[in-house]
Amino acid sequence: MIKEILLCKYGEIVLKGANRKYFEDMLCKEMKKRARGYGNFDIYRAQSTIYIDPKDEDADLDGMFEAASKVFGIVAIARAAVCEKDMAAITETVKSYIPQFMDGKRTFKVEAKRSDKTFALDSMEISREIGGVVLESCPRLRVDVHKPDITVKVEIREFGAYVSAGQFKGAGGMPVGTNGKGLLLLSGGIDSPVAGYMMAKRGVRLDAIHFESFPYTSERAREKVLELASIVAEYSGDIFVHVVSLTHIQEELVKACEEDYFTLLLRRYMMTIAERVAREKECLALITGESLGQVASQTMQALGVTDNAVNMPVFRPCIGMDKEEIVSIARKIGTFETSIQPYEDCCTVFTPKHPKTKPELEKVKAQEDKLDFDALVEEAMGTLYTVHIKAEY
Ligand code: ATP
Ligand code: MG
């Protein structure tokens, strides 16, 4: 009977220095939290690896694999068979475990790693010997050490020997929570969930703010946004979504200001309110899904006018990406299908026909001064309510 286990490897690079133990503990804790839904596992760490070790037959290793592949900070995950640290046991395990992975494969190589230096053979010797075993059990295969279709790994580690074939990419990045908390401006579109995902990948914990404009925007539009938050939360962990109404601000803008400036003015309100909420919730930066030149409000001049409204870093991880690149990430993380559901956003009600693409700050401010900015911000803050999106793994 072969026993399987997951080996989750974290990148050495980001974990150097004094914070290392803190990061490792954080990752281990995260894995334990995610394992809860999949049965009984022992989860422990050694040698830059988190071991996810099923305690009984009922533990769902496939489900756990899926869950582990969404944990930032893990660079690779291998599903491995465990055996005694001796060549006879390793040989037997290779013979019975490895052939199932070889369908459709023509070439392979063996990579051995011996972190337990007391083991009798060195890595070269293990590779050579196990290469022979694989050739014997799968006679169709050839060895190709340069560009193999699949790599068979044998690792002699602290707690045992591990045999695996093929390694899967982890989510990469840094453990969520190791780089502060940011406030994501979350619309129902394609870009902002991707922006949130990307910053979470850099270790940023997320809160989100969503602006609605009821009755111009609908209940369904809000539900869609909460669903997007819930998908991002599979990676980032729980998200508190703060919902603020812009209805009155938009109605006042339409009455008092020149149409060409609507979007810009609205964005300055959004940023100002977002900054207020960020400070209250101890977020150190704002995050948006803006991409340079994508729409009129995302030219350099427009972004300058928007940034001028706040006194806090604004992270725009999509800024240098094409729509296609953003879409491909949205598909990968699972937000795309939800994002393309056709519900209105508050930015799309009262949109100007000829928005300013090269706005001048002074002119924008002159328009802004037609209303009592601070009072409207204050009033909007009064509409805030918070929805706790719990991460479902
Ligand atoms: P997305 O695809 O994320 O909606 P977009 O390309 O449609 O972005 P805009 O609608 O101009 O661009 O919005 C730019 C950014 O402003 C969004 O990525 C998001 O961060 C923020 N934003 C827009 N609308 C809202 C909203 N209703 N609530 C919160 N943030 C918003
Ligand atoms: Mg949008």
Side-chain angles (χ1 to χ4, degrees), residues 202-261:
R202 293 311 301 162
V204 176
R205 186 166 294 293
L206 300 177
D207 264 25
I209 185 166
H210 174 65
F211 296 101
E212 58 183 8
S213 196
F214 197 74
Y216 308 105
T217 61
S218 65
E219 189 92 25
R220 277 299 290 129
R222 178 200 311 153
E223 276 165 22
K224 171 185 169 181
V225 169
L226 297 179
E227 192 179 317
L228 287 170
S230 156
I231 300 169
V232 174
E234 292 173 24
Y235 301 88
S236 68
D238 289 15
I239 300 177
F240 290 93
V241 181
H242 311 290
V243 183
V244 172
S245 169
L246 291 184
T247 309
H248 190 217
I249 291 175
Q250 291 194 280
E251 287 171 346
E252 292 300 303
L253 281 174
V254 170
K255 271 190 256 166
C257 307
E258 219 175 284
E259 181 186 301
D260 297 358
Y261 288 95

Side-chain angles (χ1 to χ4, degrees), residues 71 168 205 219 250 307 326 366:
V71 176
F168 298 86
R205 186 166 294 293
E219 189 92 25
Q250 291 194 280
D307 266 357
I326 301 173

Side-chain angles (χ1 to χ4, degrees), residues 91-352:
T91 300
E92 278 318 301
T93 306
V94 168
K95 276 188 191 161
S96 52
Y97 184 66
I98 291 302
Q100 63 179 317
F101 299 102
M102 296 306 175
D103 283 353
K105 304 283 190 290
R106 290 201 309 253
T107 57
F108 79 101
K109 76 168 174 184
V110 177
E111 227 176 73
K113 207 172 132 192
R114 182 186 60 150
S115 41
D116 173 358
K117 302 292 179 207
T118 64
F119 194 75
L121 305 186
D122 69 19
S123 321
M124 287 296 285
E125 292 166 331
I126 303 170
S127 301
R128 208 173 310 126
E129 195 157 321
I130 296 303
V133 176
V134 175
L135 282 172
E136 228 171 81
S137 358
C138 313
R140 292 182 299 102
L141 291 180
R142 280 185 301 108
V143 174
D144 180 346
V145 290
H146 301 295
K147 273 189 91 184
D149 292 342
I150 190 163
T151 300
V152 173
K153 280 200 178 166
V154 178
E155 300 178 64
I156 316 293
R157 292 171 158 266
E158 197 172 334
F159 310 115
Y162 301 86
V163 172
S164 61
Q167 187 156 193
F168 298 86
K169 264 179 98 163
M174 299 174 79
V176 171
T178 56
N179 262 331
K181 189 162 79 161
L183 182 67
L184 169 66
L185 282 82
L186 182 61
S187 69
I190 296 169
D191 309 331
S192 48
V194 169
Y197 165 87
M198 290 182 69
M199 293 321 299
K201 182 171 178 181
R202 293 311 301 162
V204 176
R205 186 166 294 293
L206 300 177
D207 264 25
I209 185 166
H210 174 65
F211 296 101
E212 58 183 8
S213 196
F214 197 74
Y216 308 105
T217 61
S218 65
E219 189 92 25
R220 277 299 290 129
R222 178 200 311 153
E223 276 165 22
K224 171 185 169 181
V225 169
L226 297 179
E227 192 179 317
L228 287 170
S230 156
I231 300 169
V232 174
E234 292 173 24
Y235 301 88
S236 68
D238 289 15
I239 300 177
F240 290 93
V241 181
H242 311 290
V243 183
V244 172
S245 169
L246 291 184
T247 309
H248 190 217
I249 291 175
Q250 291 194 280
E251 287 171 346
E252 292 300 303
L253 281 174
V254 170
K255 271 190 256 166
C257 307
E258 219 175 284
E259 181 186 301
D260 297 358
Y261 288 95
F262 283 176
T263 311
L264 277 169
L265 293 167
L266 188 65
R267 297 204 63 78
R268 284 172 59 90
Y269 275 99
M270 282 186 173
M271 297 299 270
T272 304
I273 295 165
E275 182 180 16
R276 285 268 302 259
V277 174
R279 292 195 191 281
E280 274 179 26
K281 307 298 173 189
E282 296 174 334
C283 300
L284 300 181
L286 303 179
I287 302 163
T288 80
E290 289 158 313
S291 157
L292 192 64
Q294 194 187 74
V295 289
S297 62
Q298 294 171 22
T299 62
M300 267 200 212
Q301 292 87 344
L303 291 172
V305 165
T306 313
D307 266 357
N308 174 270
V310 292
N311 241 319
M312 172 178 270
V314 181
F315 295 154
R316 299 180 169 97
C318 302
I319 197 74
M321 292 164 72
D322 295 342
K323 196 75 188 184
E324 251 181 59
E325 294 172 295
I326 301 173
V327 164
S328 93
I329 297 177
R331 284 190 197 279
K332 184 182 83 181
I333 66 176
T335 51
F336 184 73
E337 293 302 324
T338 305
S339 287
I340 58 174
Q341 289 171 18
Y343 295 105
E344 63 301 308
D345 182 69
C346 68
C347 281
T348 57
V349 293
F350 311 117
T351 43

